[in-house]
Amino acid sequence: MKNKELAIVTLKNEAAKIYSRQIKDFLGNNIKIKIYAFENGEIEFIKEKLVLLSTYLKYDEVKKHTCDDAQIIIPRITLTKSSVDKVKKIEKGKDVLLFNLSLDMSLETISLIYQLGIDHINLIPCYPEMKKLPDVNIAITPGETALIRDKVKEVIDIGHRVLDLSTIVDVAVKLNLDYLIGDEKTQRYFKNTITNSCALEKLLGETNKLENQFDILMKVLDDGIVCTNIKGIVYFYSHIARKIINIDENEMVGRYIGEYINGTNFDEIINKKQSLDGKLIKINGRDVSLEVKYVKFNNFDGFIIKLKTFSYLEKKQTKLRAQLLKKGHVSKYTFDDIIGTSEEINKTKEIAKRMAKSNSSILIIGETGTGKELFAQAIHNESYRKKGPFVAINCGAFQESLLQSELFGYEEGSFTGAKKGGKLGLFEIAHNGTLFLDEIGEMDLNLQAKLLRVIQEKQVRRLGSDRLIDIDVRIIAATNRQLKELVKEKKFRKDLYFRLNVLPLDIKPLRERKEDIIPILKDIKKSLKSKFSLSDEVENVFLNYNWEGNVRELKNIIEYLANLDEKTIQFDHLPKYMVEDTDCVQSVDVKESEFKRNKSDYIFVLNELKKAYENKERIGRKKIYDIAVNKGIFLSEQEIRSILLELNELGLIQVLKGRGGSVINEYGLKFLENNKMG
């Protein structure tokens, strides 16, 4: 489109430059402006057909230098809101000088200030030719501070006057550039200036409100939107469309849409008033989805074009797929959630962190309840795939046919009972993310072969389909079985084993890292908001319990104890199955040589402690001494004290502090059972 021309004629160059910048800010490269200023000397012939003349005082003179058909606009002038705010701060009733280039211009500026509703001060016109300056200490000037004499104490520079928005609209309309007036710059200009037209202010205020609402709508839409008239001339496009096409803010406005979007026949679409449901085209080397809708509604008759980058569509589709599944697509845990202080767990975490940086398959080996999925999620969140989906499935929970449809998906009608529209497979859902295959050792051999092919080819085919779908998925598998032994027994494919076991990760059972038991226990208590404590005896049992269910079993027991609502957990509070587990009490092998006195004396004390334990009583050396006297056993109180200390050292009892007495533990009970004396 050819540039439209405008002449700006002012008294001084600076004012012309300000007006030019304002108009250019709206109309951009669509307009060509030439500046004429009287301070430069005689005005030459003005060839432009539209002239903006800053003052009526020069109208006759300028008219002589223009074409007969030229239009001269005398602009409406206003002030910025920040300038007006400066004037409003002046004390009410004050006399204030108004300095400008001439008496007429000074009076013109005073009139403007009064028109803008500022009438709380008395403005006195001043100009350079004045013989005597009024005795006033404060002055206002629109950018002419050099004119003010030194004896004025306070000078307020309100800056050069600016064009009222109505003038800019007038220029745009006369040059057929009015389609640019709906731009956000118009809204911003309206907010920053004071208009002296009440009608325009109301109109623009409503328009501004609607523009804001429309702009908000465009910003929340993910699509790039382009609107054209019936001839395909663009009059609006959203910021997303601007980014996709890679153009400036107003570059495409007023131009034919086909100049900017190739790969489709816009001439045919526009001539036939057609719509285009969807087409993949190239814009700046990127795949873009294009839709065109012909719309005729009220005063609108034209086309609405939607643009969306294909990569964005693909990413969004992946997220939507995961949401449709409503499970296994979010990775919540990081390595910080793996609690433990033992050397074994810290070493395992360090190895796993290094594995996370790779894209190779990982095989996690560990007993039930050791936290294999926790590690898998942490690895995902440490990898470059962390923004992608994390999809988990337990291979041991499905029959072969059902597991196959879960992993690979199926087309509509592929088998009896298939859902209408088919179903996405987990491999598709996990695209650009991680697929966690738990209990991989339970997978059927036939399905193992299909899984191996998908991993090797990086393509998946839904059941009932002949179409291959490209996938980019990292596999993390887990098992509590010895896959190597299953391979020997021909129950697991050797080639799949080696494909999965690229990066093996072994998680030790809880009983082999006892230092982690108490920290994990505290963390579980915190999550349950429980504040109970363990007695020393119970803590000792926890440290020596077999924990066949590992962390999962520990969590179950903590949850059980939390519901007892006890401040301190004693031995008799423990679940029966835990107490009855013989592995929770280590074998007690106390040799005769370890006793400093007759073995029967120790048996006597242990028996009394056992009776007290069964009666849920506390017993100390004085009470044991009284019992010994009644039974005719010759032990002094001091000797009983020594026996108690020795039994404590041997780990058969616990001597409590203060007056808590002494308590027999499971080791002591076991010792008594093994040394019955009748």
Side-chain angles (χ1 to χ4, degrees):
M1 182 179 66
K2 190 175 180 181
N3 283 340
K4 305 300 179 75
E5 297 181 336
L6 172 70
I8 298 179
V9 185
T10 58
L11 296 178
K12 299 185 74 174
N13 264 315
E14 185 61 29
K17 289 177 182 177
I18 291 172
Y19 297 161
S20 176
R21 282 198 299 269
Q22 290 175 260
I23 294 172
K24 278 277 190 181
D25 191 40
F26 281 89
L27 308 181
N29 295 326
N30 298 290
I31 186 170
K32 184 178 180 181
I33 299 175
K34 187 170 182 181
I35 292 173
Y36 302 83
F38 281 94
E39 73 173 357
N40 296 333
E42 186 71 21
I43 296 293
E44 59 187 64
F45 179 74
I46 301 171
K47 66 180 180 64
E48 289 78 16
K49 298 296 180 71
L50 186 63
V51 180
L52 186 70
L53 175 61
S54 64
T55 175
Y56 278 111
L57 300 175
K58 297 291 184 179
Y59 183 87
D60 292 336
E61 186 176 347
V62 169
K63 184 66 178 172
K64 296 175 186 177
H65 294 85
T66 60
C67 304
D68 292 339
D69 58 347
Q71 296 183 68
I72 299 178
I73 300 174
I74 306 298
R76 284 176 177 264
I77 302 298
T78 187
L79 298 173
T80 64
K81 288 184 178 178
S82 59
S83 298
V84 171
D85 289 340
K86 290 180 183 178
V87 180
K88 286 182 177 179
K89 290 179 182 178
I90 300 173
E91 186 181 341
K92 186 176 181 180
K94 277 274 187 182
D95 288 339
V96 180
L97 306 180
L98 194 292
F99 272 92
N100 215 326
L101 295 173
S102 66
L103 175 60
D104 288 333
M105 294 189 72
S106 182
L107 290 171
E108 189 178 279
T109 304
I110 290 172
S111 175
L112 171 62
I113 291 174
Y114 285 151
Q115 283 180 46
L116 296 177
I118 302 173
D119 56 2
H120 68 293
I121 55 177
N122 179 33
L123 293 170
I124 303 168
C126 292
Y127 48 96
E129 290 78 14
M130 283 187 71
K131 294 180 180 179
K132 186 178 179 181
L133 193 68
D135 188 17
V136 176
N137 292 326
I138 186 169
I140 296 173
T141 180
E144 306 294 347
T145 55
L147 303 176
I148 303 175
R149 298 171 190 178
D150 294 336
K151 71 176 197 174
V152 178
K153 290 182 179 179
E154 185 180 355
V155 177
I156 298 174
D157 187 356
I158 58 175
H160 289 282
R161 298 175 300 173
V162 296
L163 296 176
D164 187 88
L165 189 53
S166 61
T167 299
I168 297 174
V169 172
D170 197 12
V171 170
V173 170
K174 290 183 184 299
L175 292 176
N176 293 319
L177 296 172
D178 50 301
Y179 56 82
L180 295 172
I181 298 303
D183 187 71
E184 61 182 24
K185 290 180 180 177
T186 307
Q187 302 171 22
R188 187 167 62 248
Y189 192 82
F190 175 66
K191 291 176 183 177
N192 294 332
T193 57
I194 304 291
T195 179
N196 49 29
S197 170
C198 294
L200 181 63
E201 182 172 2
K202 183 176 180 181
L203 175 62
L204 288 176
E206 290 300 315
T207 302
N208 185 44
K209 182 179 177 182
L210 291 171
E211 291 278 357
N212 279 335
Q213 293 171 347
F214 182 69
D215 190 50
I216 290 169
L217 178 61
M218 289 299 100
K219 285 180 178 177
V220 298
L221 289 176
D222 295 325
D223 301 333
I225 303 295
V226 181
C227 296
T228 78
N229 64 15
I230 193 62
K231 295 180 179 180
I233 304 300
V234 177
Y235 68 87
F236 169 82
Y237 51 93
S238 68
H239 69 291
I240 296 292
R242 178 168 62 84
K243 288 180 180 178
I244 292 173
I245 304 173
N246 193 24
I247 52 176
D248 294 333
E249 206 159 359
N250 290 316
E251 180 180 338
M252 196 165 63
V253 173
R255 298 180 185 271
Y256 182 59
I257 183 64
E259 295 178 28
Y260 290 87
I261 300 178
N262 300 316
T264 193
N265 191 343
F266 276 107
D267 291 341
E268 184 179 351
I269 290 172
I270 290 166
N271 291 335
K272 295 182 179 180
K273 297 181 180 178
Q274 293 177 333
S275 291
L276 183 66
D277 288 337
K279 184 178 181 181
L280 197 62
I281 61 171
K282 288 277 188 183
I283 297 180
N284 297 321
R286 292 193 300 172
D287 292 322
V288 175
S289 172
L290 168 72
E291 289 184 44
V292 182
K293 298 291 182 184
Y294 170 64
V295 178
K296 187 173 183 180
F297 182 75
N298 290 341
N299 295 325
F300 181 83
D301 187 9
F303 297 88
I304 296 176
I305 299 163
K306 292 198 322 181
L307 302 169
K308 187 172 289 187
T309 58
F310 188 71
S311 60
Y312 178 84
L313 281 170
E314 196 174 39
K315 288 177 183 176
K316 190 164 186 178
Q317 188 181 36
T318 299
K319 291 180 180 178
L320 288 173
R321 287 170 176 175
Q323 289 177 24
L324 286 171
L325 188 66
K326 292 185 179 178
K327 61 179 180 179
H329 62 280
V330 177
S331 177
K332 299 186 295 182
Y333 301 109
T334 68
F335 284 108
D336 291 336
D337 295 304
I338 300 174
I339 308 301
T341 59
S342 68
E343 182 181 347
E344 289 85 354
I345 199 66
N346 287 329
K347 184 179 178 181
T348 306
K349 285 167 68 173
E350 284 303 314
I351 293 171
K353 285 179 182 179
R354 292 198 293 271
M355 289 180 174
K357 305 304 179 185
S358 167
N359 197 40
S360 301
S361 298
I362 296 175
L363 180 62
I364 302 177
I365 303 166
E367 293 182 4
T368 299
T370 49
K372 294 186 289 295
E373 183 169 351
L374 183 63
F375 266 92
Q377 292 194 28
I379 289 169
H380 173 80
N381 275 332
E382 191 81 8
S383 73
Y384 73 88
R385 295 174 177 269
K386 62 184 176 182
K387 292 184 179 178
F390 177 87
V391 180
I393 185 169
N394 188 322
C395 300
F398 296 89
Q399 293 179 351
E400 180 194 352
S401 58
L402 189 54
L403 180 58
Q404 184 174 346
S405 66
E406 287 290 321
L407 288 174
F408 308 135
Y410 56 80
E411 297 292 345
E412 181 178 341
S414 57
F415 56 85
T416 304
K419 289 182 180 179
K420 187 176 181 181
K423 183 179 180 180
L424 295 166
L426 297 186
F427 271 101
E428 290 181 73
I429 294 169
H431 182 60
N432 288 327
T434 302
L435 178 60
F436 176 59
L437 303 173
D438 198 8
E439 294 191 30
I440 189 72
E442 308 302 323
M443 185 178 286
D444 182 87
L445 281 169
N446 292 329
L447 192 52
Q448 288 178 31
K450 295 175 182 177
L451 174 63
L452 176 64
R453 184 172 183 83
V454 171
I455 296 173
Q456 288 175 334
E457 302 298 330
K458 296 184 178 179
Q459 291 180 319
V460 66
R461 180 189 283 114
R462 294 183 189 175
L463 296 178
S465 172
D466 57 0
R467 183 171 64 96
L468 288 172
I469 301 169
D470 291 332
I471 54 164
D472 178 12
V473 175
R474 185 187 196 177
I475 301 293
I476 300 179
T479 181
N480 58 8
R481 304 181 68 182
Q482 292 298 323
L483 289 189
K484 205 167 184 179
E485 295 302 317
L486 294 179
V487 169
K488 290 179 181 178
E489 297 170 9
K490 299 190 181 303
K491 293 180 180 178
F492 198 87
R493 290 183 64 100
K494 187 176 183 179
D495 44 7
L496 179 59
Y497 170 71
F498 287 115
R499 176 66 68 172
L500 295 174
N501 196 38
V502 178
L503 300 176
L505 184 67
D506 187 25
I507 304 177
K508 298 295 182 185
L510 195 56
R511 61 184 169 274
E512 292 183 22
R513 46 188 177 96
K514 294 183 179 180
E515 301 96 312
D516 297 335
I517 294 173
I518 301 305
I520 294 173
L521 181 148
K522 290 179 179 178
D523 184 70
I524 296 171
K525 278 202 312 179
K526 185 178 178 181
S527 67
L528 295 173
K529 297 180 180 179
S530 183
K531 296 182 179 179
F532 69 79
S533 61
L534 302 181
S535 67
D536 291 344
E537 184 182 6
V538 170
E539 184 174 318
N540 196 38
V541 172
F542 268 74
L543 292 174
N544 291 285
Y545 183 64
N546 199 40
W547 297 114
E548 291 183 5
N550 292 288
V551 179
R552 190 175 299 149
E553 184 182 7
L554 175 59
K555 185 178 184 301
N556 291 344
I557 288 177
I558 298 307
E559 203 166 330
Y560 166 78
L561 296 176
N563 282 289
L564 296 181
D565 200 24
E566 295 283 349
K567 289 184 179 179
T568 303
I569 301 301
Q570 302 293 346
F571 184 81
D572 56 335
H573 293 141
L574 295 175
K576 186 177 180 181
Y577 75 86
M578 189 176 183
V579 174
E580 291 176 347
D581 190 339
T582 55
D583 289 339
C584 76
V585 181
Q586 294 176 333
S587 62
V588 181
D589 185 19
V590 181
K591 297 178 181 178
E592 293 283 343
S593 58
E594 293 183 66
F595 294 125
K596 296 178 181 179
R597 61 182 67 248
N598 195 306
K599 183 179 178 181
S600 60
D601 294 338
Y602 298 94
I603 298 297
F604 162 71
V605 172
L606 284 172
N607 271 319
E608 296 308 319
L609 290 174
K610 178 186 177 184
K611 293 175 185 176
Y613 172 76
E614 291 170 346
N615 294 326
K616 296 183 180 180
E617 297 175 349
R618 287 286 183 262
I619 188 171
R621 65 175 183 269
K622 189 174 188 313
K623 194 168 184 180
I624 295 173
Y625 169 73
D626 292 340
I627 295 171
V629 170
N630 291 333
K631 288 188 175 184
I633 297 173
F634 300 103
L635 288 172
S636 67
E637 191 174 334
Q638 185 60 38
E639 287 174 322
I640 292 173
R641 180 178 180 277
S642 298
I643 290 172
L644 290 171
L645 292 174
E646 288 179 48
L647 289 172
N648 185 65
E649 289 178 8
L650 292 170
L652 302 178
I653 70 168
Q654 182 182 355
V655 177
L656 303 178
K657 295 179 180 179
R659 298 191 176 184
S662 298
V663 181
I664 192 170
N665 58 30
E666 277 296 295
Y667 307 123
L669 293 172
K670 193 73 175 176
F671 179 82
L672 279 179
E673 186 178 343
N674 295 337
N675 292 272
K676 293 179 180 179
M677 299 184 69

